[in-house]
Amino acid sequence: IVMGSSLLPPKVKMELHVKNRNNLLTSLRQHLSESSRPLHGFVLLQGGEEQTRYDTDHLELFRQESYFAYLFGVKESGFYGAIDIATGNSILFVPRLPAEYAVWMGEIKPLSYFKEHYMVSTTCFSDEIASVLQQHYQSSGKPLLFLLHGLNTDSDNFSKPAEFQGIDKFDKDLTTLHPILTECRVIKSELEIALIQYANDISSEAHVEVMKKTKVGMKEYQLESIFLHHTYIAVLHYGHAAAPNDKTLEDGDMALFDMGAEYHFYGSDITCSFPVNGKFTSDQSLIYSAVLDAHNAVISAMKPGINWVDMHILAEKVILESLKRGHIILGDVDDMVAARLGAVFMPHGLGHFLGIDTHDPGGYLKGLERRKEPGLKSLRTIRDLREGMVITVEPGCYFIDALLLPAMSSPETSKFLNQEVINRFKGFGGVRIESDVLVTAAGCYNMTKCPREIREIEAVMAGAPWPA
């Protein structure tokens, strides 16, 4: 039970992973049939390995590889998993642990435990992969392995295909599995959505806790610790080593907290921005309202078939219109969009797929090219929305010298910028509002439940209950 929360974690049903395997099997068999290829062979994935810190024996906290987590739900390291395409049977390969493991690490569980717990057809030891797959193979010739190899377009890293002793006795297909499995992950089942919703509920509560406890003079990491204490589950992304959360929050500052917890692999990703002293100034209200209006406009427009690039441009337009009303910029908003002025204030993309990874894969299907223009090139997807996608909506508006100074000296953009007013916003920082949104048949549903309106935030920071 989470500290200070009345929310009970939903029971994790391993059926979720049975369903994920069946989804993959259906898509893969359909693809093979359409390509007139035989319906046999094995999908084989290698789970994550425990890593030590550099050359020490200090074990880093283990987190399962995401595709393996999706298909098998296994929390432990050193596993392999196979799916027999002909029969649909699933086989989990368990590491064979030495007897002394029990002395230091506790009971060694039997194979039968893993079979029951993870709801697979068969369990064997991982040193038996070659012989077990040969035995299960019904056809003639070398058995075919579908291995996971492909580019993650968010990280530019490739997934690592499984390796094991005796793999040379098999034929290998390195191209078919990755795009099909990735597309399975893009569309969430009801069981997956329930876990993402729980991570959102807990994280929304924790963000409210942070708002309530924020006081001028505190350090960012003190508030991060309040968030962690409330969630006690797992962490996504905070500061990094080169820029830890060590800023002192001064009177008149805007705080921007981008935090989310995860539950049974599935995550949330939420950003709240609020004045440290609990009261918005007129300038803070102007920028905050611009971003909130963009956030709300996108959510109102989202539904299946809507293109994500259009949503990004809609967010830019709404922000630019607000900045124009506040005399920060001058001129025609459509001309500004054409000159890519929006990217000066919002250099990142509008949002990303969310699921087992904070930046869930599948943003660029084969044949989809990244846009080249400022702002648009940062989009993590340019796809049309489909029912069952979970995507973050996170417009922002920032005053960043490294972007504003070049824009002020470029003839394309300088004519729009009211330099005098912009100078007033030097050191303002920025505002981002991020919610996790599920695309439904009729439109979409915002899974995040934080105070968003200015009056709501000021009330919560003054001690009012939330939900109101």
Side-chain angles (χ1 to χ4, degrees):
I1 295 172
V2 178
M3 292 293 293
S5 174
S6 59
L7 295 171
L8 286 172
K11 187 166 168 31
V12 174
K13 298 187 168 81
M14 282 299 149
E15 284 90 343
L16 181 151
H17 302 286
V18 175
K19 194 171 163 46
N20 290 351
R21 292 195 292 273
N22 288 337
N23 280 353
L24 172 63
L25 204 53
T26 305
S27 299
L28 189 53
R29 282 174 174 166
Q30 187 183 339
H31 172 84
L32 293 173
S33 301
E34 285 166 3
S35 335
S36 309
R37 292 171 64 186
L39 299 185
H40 60 64
F42 301 92
V43 169
L44 181 71
L45 261 68
Q46 182 172 0
E49 296 289 343
E50 273 190 326
Q51 304 289 331
T52 56
R53 185 183 291 170
Y54 306 117
D55 62 344
T56 73
D57 62 359
H58 174 95
L59 283 172
E60 300 285 9
L61 182 67
F62 176 72
R63 201 316 184 133
Q64 186 57 269
E65 192 279 323
S66 296
Y67 285 97
F68 198 80
Y70 175 80
L71 285 178
F72 295 99
V74 172
K75 288 201 160 48
E76 299 89 345
S77 64
F79 279 62
Y80 290 75
I83 302 168
D84 186 337
I85 290 162
T87 62
N89 287 342
S90 49
I91 311 165
L92 207 50
F93 295 97
V94 181
R96 202 187 285 271
L97 297 171
E100 64 265 23
Y101 176 96
V103 177
W104 307 109
M105 308 295 275
E107 174 206 4
I108 296 176
K109 297 188 175 86
L111 288 178
S112 58
Y113 165 83
F114 295 107
K115 179 178 185 296
E116 276 166 48
H117 184 70
Y118 290 122
M119 296 178 74
V120 290
S121 319
T122 317
T123 39
C124 308
F125 286 113
S126 50
D127 52 20
E128 305 173 317
I129 296 175
S131 58
V132 168
L133 293 183
Q134 296 278 0
Q135 283 160 23
H136 278 258
Y137 187 61
Q138 306 293 328
S139 309
S140 55
K142 275 186 176 180
L144 176 62
L145 299 178
F146 292 90
L147 302 176
L148 189 68
H149 179 65
L151 181 69
N152 180 319
T153 56
D154 285 299
S155 65
D156 266 345
N157 294 327
F158 283 86
S159 46
K160 180 171 133 319
E163 294 167 357
F164 61 93
Q165 205 75 46
I167 197 167
D168 43 4
K169 298 188 177 71
F170 297 82
D171 284 330
K172 290 183 280 206
D173 176 323
L174 286 167
T175 54
T176 304
L177 179 60
H178 188 271
I180 294 174
L181 181 52
T182 299
E183 192 55 16
C184 288
R185 280 181 59 185
V186 169
I187 306 299
K188 308 297 190 280
S189 68
E190 283 185 15
L191 289 167
E192 291 179 288
I193 290 163
L195 297 181
I196 298 171
Q197 184 62 66
Y198 178 68
N200 258 280
D201 291 345
I202 283 289
S203 299
S204 297
E205 276 194 350
H207 272 282
V208 171
E209 263 326 276
V210 168
M211 266 180 213
K212 286 179 174 167
K213 297 204 162 85
T214 297
K215 296 282 177 285
V216 169
M218 287 175 85
K219 294 279 193 193
E220 288 174 320
Y221 56 73
Q222 292 174 291
L223 295 163
E224 179 188 343
S225 123
I226 290 166
F227 184 93
L228 291 177
H229 181 72
H230 190 84
T231 55
Y232 270 17
I233 299 170
V235 207
L236 294 177
H237 50 97
Y238 305 108
H240 52 94
N245 293 327
D246 60 359
K247 184 177 181 302
T248 302
L249 301 167
E250 311 283 355
D251 198 357
D253 282 356
M254 282 292 282
L256 187 160
F257 285 106
D258 181 346
M259 305 187 284
E262 63 180 46
Y263 181 67
H264 186 69
F265 307 122
Y266 286 85
S268 57
D269 190 8
I270 298 171
T271 306
C272 293
S273 301
F274 53 88
V276 172
N277 65 13
K279 282 279 178 219
F280 283 82
T281 64
S282 59
D283 279 350
Q284 287 172 343
S285 294
L286 168 64
I287 306 306
Y288 186 86
S289 300
V291 176
L292 183 61
D293 288 349
H295 167 275
N296 295 348
V298 167
I299 291 175
S300 298
M302 281 171 66
K303 60 179 191 217
I306 291 281
N307 182 267
W308 195 238
V309 181
D310 295 340
M311 292 295 93
H312 181 94
I313 290 167
L314 170 63
E316 277 188 348
K317 269 189 166 162
V318 172
I319 288 170
L320 292 170
E321 277 160 5
S322 297
L323 296 183
K324 183 179 165 177
R325 280 197 301 275
H327 309 295
I328 295 171
I329 52 178
L330 319 155
D332 180 79
V333 168
D334 288 330
D335 293 347
M336 294 175 191
V337 171
R340 301 303 312 128
L341 185 71
V344 174
F345 296 98
M346 180 169 89
H348 58 74
L350 174 66
H352 51 80
F353 292 143
L354 172 81
I356 289 182
D357 293 313
T358 310
H359 300 144
D360 232 20
Y364 289 87
L365 296 172
K366 216 174 169 51
L368 282 185
E369 284 294 316
R370 247 177 215 279
R371 298 283 290 256
K372 305 283 189 288
E373 309 96 307
L376 300 180
K377 67 175 187 231
S378 303
L379 279 165
R380 291 178 183 272
T381 185
I382 56 170
R383 291 180 61 170
D384 291 344
L385 297 178
R386 287 178 55 198
E387 182 182 354
M389 286 177 170
V390 175
I391 196 161
T392 65
V393 174
E394 48 178 308
C397 181
Y398 318 87
F399 293 83
I400 301 167
D401 283 347
L403 296 173
L404 281 168
L405 297 175
M408 284 178 179
S409 51
S410 146
E412 282 75 59
T413 47
S414 62
K415 58 187 177 202
F416 299 118
L417 298 168
N418 186 346
Q419 308 231 1
E420 226 173 294
V421 180
I422 283 178
N423 287 336
R424 194 172 87 216
F425 283 87
K426 237 183 154 32
F428 179 91
V431 167
R432 181 165 68 250
I433 299 172
E434 177 183 21
S435 298
D436 304 340
V437 179
L438 168 68
V439 182
T440 60
C444 69
Y445 173 73
N446 186 351
M447 303 171 84
T448 303
K449 301 181 172 67
C450 292
R452 292 304 195 194
E453 299 294 334
I454 287 176
R455 54 181 167 71
E456 293 174 338
I457 291 170
E458 290 186 341
V460 163
M461 292 186 77
W466 180 264

